[in-house]
Amino acid sequence: TVLSGAVFTNLSFLVDMTDVSLELLDSPTSAENRNSLARFDFMKSKVLFESLSDGSKSVNLVSHSLLAYDTRYAGTNRSTEGIRQNVFDCILQPSKTGTNRASLQLELHYRSTRDSSSFTVVLNNLRVFLIFDWLMLVQDFLRLQPENPSDSAECQQHCPGSTSANLSATGAVMPKTVKSGVVTKRSTVLVSQDRCLEVKINVTGTEFVVVEDLSCLDTNAVILKGTTVLTYKPRLVDRPFSGSLAGIEVFSCRLGSEQETALSIIDPVNVQVELCGSPTYQSSSGLLDAFNVEDIPPLLEIQFPALDIRLSYNDIQLFLSIAKSISAAKAPPSPPDLTDATPPPKDGVRQKTPSSLGM
């Protein structure tokens, strides 16, 4: 009996996570000096994993209560001399203005097939503090390679199946028919398969907070809130990226007394964003016909009705301070001050100094 097009579930399990914490540790040269970097508390979450017989896999994470912490300064084993500590240690928390506290806060959906992969992120009724230096460290942590890459090379030598797995990820080995007379020969060629990627981000009732001073609880801050749907599909050459922003508003305030000190910078507005690829120029005529389509860069289209922007002197100073903190977070750590360790000047320099001063 042959079942055409039948797909069976090979593996499926559901994990109910209650009061589960995931902690990230930084990776210095010495394993004894590792310190905590971040902690994610899954207070009420569920994880569903499914693997099908056709090679597709899906992972779904649904969380009703999730907290994320900056734990760099939580312990006493780290020297914080000369480092501005972050008092906003709770990076991800429920929104204070949210009406339904029992609703979903976070959803992550990932599905992978042989020729495509899709990733969906849903944020609902959350307050997110954008601590840029912490975000950079977490990003570096996620990009870390295994400590002993030689072990993986030895594993590939001893495990022949790993080679076939790598080939299946990059390309499939397909038989190619080569005819010569009445004899048919077969040879294997590597056929590359480009995987299609789709990313979708849905943000509802979520506030993104950027603070001026990380070491002060009642500091000035800029808050962006609204409903956003962003879609990224690189396989669609004419429209690889699109976004719909509904009720987006930006205002400055002092944390701790937001309602009393809130000053609107951008009034609520609906914005449509689209990235148009180069094929949109094919219908044009004129001087653009003298250029190749590949040489024309994509065009970003932003559509919105009347836009009201109010900027005071204090708002400009606040934006400048935030910009300096972002550049400081991206800059590499400065070397230690060696002014005290510089050797004394030569005698010739000491003799020229009084004469230059007219003494």
Side-chain angles (χ1 to χ4, degrees), residues 314-326:
N314 294 331
D315 293 334
I316 295 177
Q317 294 298 323
L318 177 58
F319 281 121
L320 291 177
S321 178
I322 292 175
K324 291 180 181 179
S325 64
I326 296 176

Side-chain angles (χ1 to χ4, degrees), residues 97-113:
T97 59
T99 57
N100 188 3
R101 297 297 181 90
S103 61
L104 294 176
Q105 292 184 356
L106 174 67
E107 292 185 29
L108 298 178
H109 304 282
Y110 174 75
R111 180 173 176 80
S112 175
T113 61

